[in-house]
Amino acid sequence: MDRHLRTPELLIDLDVVSRSYEALTSQLPGLTVHYAMKCNPHQEIIGRLHSLGCRFEIASAAELDELRRIGADPAQVLYSNPVKPVAHIAAAHAAGVWRFAFDGEEELDKIAAVAPGAAVLVRLSAHQIRSGVPSEGKFGVDADTAAALLLAARDRGLRPYGVAFHVGSQMLLAHAWRAPLRAVARVMDKLAAESVFLQMVNLGGGFPARYCAVNLPPLSDYATAIGIGLAGLPYPVETVIEPGRAVVAEAGTLRATVIGTAVRHGRRWAHLDVGAFNGLMESLETGNELRFPVTDSRCDARRDRFHLTGPTCDSQDTIMFDVELSAGLRAGDEVYLGCAGAYTTVYASRFNGFDPPAVRCVSGVTLETSGDAAYSR
Amino acid sequence: MDRHLRTPELLIDLDVVSRSYEALTSQLPGLTVHYAMKCNPHQEIIGRLHSLGCRFEIASAAELDELRRIGADPAQVLYSNPVKPVAHIAAAHAAGVWRFAFDGEEELDKIAAVAPGAAVLVRLSAHQIRSGVPSEGKFGVDADTAAALLLAARDRGLRPYGVAFHVGSQMLLAHAWRAPLRAVARVMDKLAAESVFLQMVNLGGGFPARYCAVNLPPLSDYATAIGIGLAGLPYPVETVIEPGRAVVAEAGTLRATVIGTAVRHGRRWAHLDVGAFNGLMESLETGNELRFPVTDSRCDARRDRFHLTGPTCDSQDTIMFDVELSAGLRAGDEVYLGCAGAYTTVYASRFNGFDPPAVRCVSGVTLETSGDAAYSR
């Protein structure tokens, strides 16, 4: 018997990627989109986005390599990781990247040494509000320090170019952008007093995707909040966003096979060939609070509730508790997790010897993911 | 400039692996050691253990492949993951594995179908006490159910062979084995009334390693607690343990390079080229409670305290808060994390494009890891 399994497999609907990108560009007018490579750097995804005119942001030189493979222009890429290996800065600079984020003097020294004359964006802290997937905290300085750092950049022959912040991933409160934009205005005012004028404000990512049990505000709410914030800036600047999840999450459906089911202490468990360690690490990161819409191949009218877990012998490998699926679910059935295009394969390891999902780009297989609907079908 | 970094690198001292294995066999006499492959299946580690007479336990058929590569006998391997892909059961059975864990009827059906006549060990739940690294919860049934399941195994032509449990990883309370062993005695009594007698009790893993800020009980405490538990069994059985962390953790030193340092809100941060996502996932799993002993290449007499974080732009990529290192620490310096041989490379992904550590087996480079000593050198 061939022990290699047909699953897990991550199906990506590239048409949904296109629609999500176009929704962002049309409903957040005036903002340039730089897709966050870290979210899902699969070649066909970034190729499709590139063909639509999308730009990119990178967190490492390895991500730049992926972009060069699809013919993206490094001059349009933002290197937004505030702390970078010096060899990565040098490689990116040599390739034509000229805009780098930073949030400290040592990083300025590194950039000045290997990317002389580069343009720099200082990272502001902006974690007053908790996001759905905690991703903020280690980076960023206050507005006064940010202004001082941009002057320090000028002193090193670098170009004080902009301010960047990140409100946190899966941010469900559109007004989260307003306080950081007030801090940006303060940075711009302080620099204007020194006759330094900025070219760019980078509003980061954080735009949410439609998981279950999520009250997703319309994009127009985000446009309104950001518009109010931008109106408070002392002069107009180029404004960019760096969405990842909002572009690709809903395009992805994770196809998994039930390895087995069991009843323990009166509760049914379903074990899949994908779990926290080989694709669904965000379950662990969020304490199983992120709810993926789920259906199964059995489609029983009779439903039952399951704890959904992964293939390893580690109990932290659990995806979601208390999920409704076919009552007759058993080994060999397939389970489909929607909204799985973002932060899945990129976090996957081979723990216990279980393979990460293969990625296959297709059309028209995306699940209905509106609210809890997928649960009740 | 070559952007490929010389680090991160996981150095494994094979002599420490030998010493740890020998400590377990000498101080826990009468218990057969089956090394837990999931912890670190590197070929040179398992090769060394095999040469010492160590046996193995697997969580998947892929782990069995690694064991066959070093010439280990599948007949001496325990397949201890209670829920397995049916194709993995079949592959293991074909290779000569004959002992399988389970904790539900559906698993029995799968085993009976593709491994007829196999010996089975039922998994008891044993998570009354919280361990240092939570790893218990999804598996296991109570004693009465366990006895009924072993009878159900017999009805399917399988061999009721034993009982297994796992007290949880990095268990610092030696008495944690006592309550599960009382439950094992109950299972054995119930089965004896049906003239079914077991051959094996599998005490699982959980034996701890010497991280910092840990009050590590001597192995003799574990021997005493287990001895008391075993003395309460109605008749003698073969007894096995499945250590992983206690065998390889202290043998590993993770060599990393400082990418940069920064001061944020009055607190110093050091960014390494290794973090939660490419090797130190247990930081995230334990809420940064697991403390690795740390030193650095600068060896300043003047010390300062740092938050130690990884290379990605994700703030969950943080290893430890408030660690003492050389005050002058800066980009290019090396940092060494001790006690890093277990559950590091096996959890590593390439998130943000940062490579997992290369593994190199050496001798004599292991850090002093007694208590907090490594901090203060």
Side-chain angles (χ1 to χ4, degrees):
Chain A
M1 187 188 286
D2 181 12
R3 75 166 177 76
H4 293 286
L5 312 173
R6 292 160 302 121
T7 59
E9 182 179 61
L10 178 61
L11 306 170
I12 297 283
D13 186 335
L14 293 173
D15 296 338
V16 175
V17 173
S18 295
R19 285 203 294 276
S20 297
Y21 172 73
E22 281 156 4
L24 287 165
T25 53
S26 66
Q27 292 177 57
L28 299 170
L31 307 183
T32 306
V33 174
H34 287 250
Y35 173 68
M37 285 287 286
K38 59 179 169 281
C39 182
N40 191 332
H42 189 269
Q43 287 280 303
E44 290 182 69
I45 294 171
I46 60 177
R48 170 66 70 98
L49 289 168
H50 181 53
S51 74
L52 296 172
C54 183
R55 299 183 179 191
F56 299 92
E57 72 101 347
I58 57 171
S60 72
E63 291 184 349
L64 182 62
D65 292 344
E66 298 296 322
L67 287 173
R68 295 178 78 182
R69 213 161 285 147
I70 60 155
D73 180 4
Q76 292 188 341
V77 170
L78 299 175
Y79 198 151
S80 295
N81 191 339
V83 179
K84 297 162 284 294
V86 69
H88 286 213
I89 301 170
H93 173 72
V97 174
W98 58 281
R99 291 171 294 191
F100 299 86
F102 78 106
D103 71 348
E105 295 225 14
E106 188 181 300
E107 191 73 7
L108 284 178
D109 291 337
K110 288 155 57 186
I111 297 170
V114 299
V120 291
L121 294 95
V122 71
R123 173 78 168 252
L124 272 182
S125 60
H127 45 280
Q128 297 85 352
I129 298 173
R130 192 179 183 284
S131 61
V133 179
S135 58
E136 183 57 50
K138 78 177 178 186
F139 296 116
V141 294
D142 61 37
D144 291 355
T145 308
L149 282 171
L150 284 169
L151 294 174
R154 185 185 58 178
D155 296 344
R156 285 165 173 83
L158 298 170
R159 221 173 121 187
Y161 186 79
V163 182
F165 62 86
H166 196 300
V167 296
S169 200
Q170 185 71 3
M171 175 52 76
L172 296 171
L173 301 167
H175 69 266
W177 275 262
R178 293 183 60 179
L181 278 167
R182 284 194 293 274
V184 172
R186 183 176 167 88
V187 177
M188 291 171 73
D189 282 335
K190 288 188 80 85
L191 289 170
E194 306 278 336
S195 302
V196 171
F197 299 92
L198 300 178
Q199 271 82 63
M200 178 178 279
V201 173
N202 181 339
L203 307 175
F207 302 94
R210 195 175 299 277
Y211 299 91
C212 285
V214 154
N215 191 3
L216 204 68
L219 273 177
S220 58
D221 284 10
Y222 294 82
T224 301
I226 288 169
I228 291 169
L230 293 177
L233 300 184
Y235 53 90
V237 287
E238 185 186 356
T239 313
V240 306
I241 55 173
E242 298 179 332
R245 194 185 297 277
V247 178
V248 296
E250 292 170 31
T253 301
L254 199 45
R255 184 175 149 248
T257 301
V258 178
I259 290 177
T261 69
V263 179
R264 303 185 183 106
H265 306 288
R267 162 58 67 182
R268 293 190 73 181
W269 289 75
H271 295 245
L272 307 184
D273 56 5
V274 72
F277 297 108
N278 67 335
L280 293 161
M281 180 52 64
E282 285 207 308
S283 305
L284 202 159
E285 287 187 43
T286 63
N288 302 106
E289 280 184 22
L290 205 63
R291 307 282 299 183
F292 300 88
V294 191
T295 54
D296 65 78
S297 58
R298 188 164 287 271
C299 297
D300 282 354
R302 203 159 58 84
R303 317 297 292 168
D304 204 351
R305 300 192 83 83
F306 293 83
H307 291 339
L308 212 56
T309 192
T312 78
C313 57
D314 189 326
S315 76
Q316 298 209 59
D317 189 19
T318 290
I319 305 161
M320 288 187 286
F321 294 103
D322 205 26
V323 172
E324 191 178 298
L325 288 166
S326 292
L329 196 75
R330 54 169 298 163
D333 290 342
E334 293 196 350
V335 166
Y336 311 103
L337 294 110
C339 209
Y343 298 110
T344 47
T345 47
V346 291
Y347 282 141
S349 69
R350 309 178 69 86
F351 184 54
N352 274 203
F354 288 99
D355 291 334
V359 180
R360 185 157 57 100
C361 292
V362 293
S363 279
V365 301
T366 313
L367 287 176
E368 170 58 53
T369 62
S370 54
D372 273 320
Y375 278 73
S376 54
R377 286 200 303 184
Chain B
M1 184 187 289
D2 180 12
R3 75 165 175 77
H4 293 285
L5 312 174
R6 293 160 302 121
T7 59
E9 182 178 59
L10 177 61
L11 306 170
I12 297 284
D13 187 336
L14 293 174
D15 296 337
V16 176
V17 173
S18 296
R19 284 202 295 276
S20 298
Y21 171 72
E22 281 155 4
L24 287 165
T25 53
S26 66
Q27 293 178 57
L28 298 170
L31 307 183
T32 306
V33 175
H34 287 251
Y35 173 68
M37 286 287 287
K38 58 180 170 280
C39 182
N40 191 332
H42 189 268
Q43 287 279 303
E44 291 182 68
I45 294 171
I46 59 176
R48 171 66 70 99
L49 289 168
H50 181 52
S51 74
L52 297 171
C54 182
R55 300 183 178 191
F56 299 92
E57 72 103 346
I58 57 170
S60 71
E63 291 184 349
L64 183 62
D65 292 344
E66 298 297 321
L67 286 174
R68 297 179 77 182
R69 215 162 282 147
I70 60 156
D73 180 4
Q76 292 188 341
V77 169
L78 298 176
Y79 198 150
S80 294
N81 191 340
V83 179
K84 298 164 282 297
V86 69
H88 287 215
I89 300 170
H93 173 70
V97 175
W98 57 281
R99 291 172 293 191
F100 299 87
F102 79 104
D103 72 345
E105 297 225 14
E106 188 181 302
E107 192 72 7
L108 284 178
D109 290 337
K110 287 155 57 186
I111 297 171
V114 298
V120 292
L121 293 94
V122 71
R123 173 80 167 250
L124 271 182
S125 59
H127 46 282
Q128 297 84 352
I129 297 172
R130 193 180 180 282
S131 62
V133 178
S135 58
E136 183 55 52
K138 78 177 176 185
F139 295 116
V141 294
D142 60 38
D144 292 353
T145 308
L149 283 171
L150 283 170
L151 294 175
R154 185 185 59 177
D155 295 343
R156 285 166 174 83
L158 298 170
R159 221 171 120 189
Y161 186 79
V163 182
F165 62 85
H166 195 301
V167 296
S169 201
Q170 185 70 6
M171 173 51 75
L172 296 170
L173 301 168
H175 68 266
W177 275 261
R178 292 183 60 181
L181 277 168
R182 283 194 294 274
V184 172
R186 182 177 167 87
V187 177
M188 291 170 73
D189 281 335
K190 288 186 81 84
L191 290 171
E194 306 278 336
S195 301
V196 171
F197 298 93
L198 299 179
Q199 272 82 62
M200 178 177 280
V201 173
N202 182 338
L203 307 174
F207 303 93
R210 196 176 297 279
Y211 298 91
C212 285
V214 155
N215 190 3
L216 205 66
L219 272 177
S220 58
D221 285 10
Y222 294 83
T224 302
I226 288 169
I228 292 170
L230 293 178
L233 299 185
Y235 53 89
V237 287
E238 185 187 357
T239 313
V240 305
I241 55 172
E242 297 179 332
R245 193 186 297 277
V247 178
V248 297
E250 293 171 30
T253 302
L254 199 46
R255 184 174 151 249
T257 301
V258 177
I259 290 176
T261 68
V263 179
R264 303 186 183 104
H265 307 287
R267 161 59 65 183
R268 294 189 73 182
W269 288 75
H271 296 243
L272 307 183
D273 56 6
V274 73
F277 297 109
N278 66 335
L280 294 161
M281 179 53 65
E282 285 207 308
S283 306
L284 202 159
E285 286 186 45
T286 63
N288 301 109
E289 279 184 23
L290 204 63
R291 307 283 297 183
F292 301 88
V294 191
T295 55
D296 65 79
S297 60
R298 186 164 287 271
C299 296
D300 282 354
R302 203 159 58 80
R303 315 298 291 168
D304 205 350
R305 298 193 83 82
F306 293 82
H307 291 339
L308 212 57
T309 192
T312 77
C313 58
D314 190 325
S315 76
Q316 298 208 60
D317 189 19
T318 289
I319 305 161
M320 287 186 286
F321 294 104
D322 204 26
V323 172
E324 193 178 297
L325 289 166
S326 293
L329 196 76
R330 54 168 298 164
D333 290 343
E334 291 196 351
V335 167
Y336 312 104
L337 295 110
C339 209
Y343 299 110
T344 47
T345 46
V346 290
Y347 283 142
S349 70
R350 310 179 66 86
F351 184 54
N352 274 203
F354 288 99
D355 290 335
V359 179
R360 186 156 57 99
C361 291
V362 293
S363 278
V365 301
T366 312
L367 286 177
E368 170 59 52
T369 61
S370 56
D372 273 318
Y375 278 73
S376 54
R377 287 197 305 185

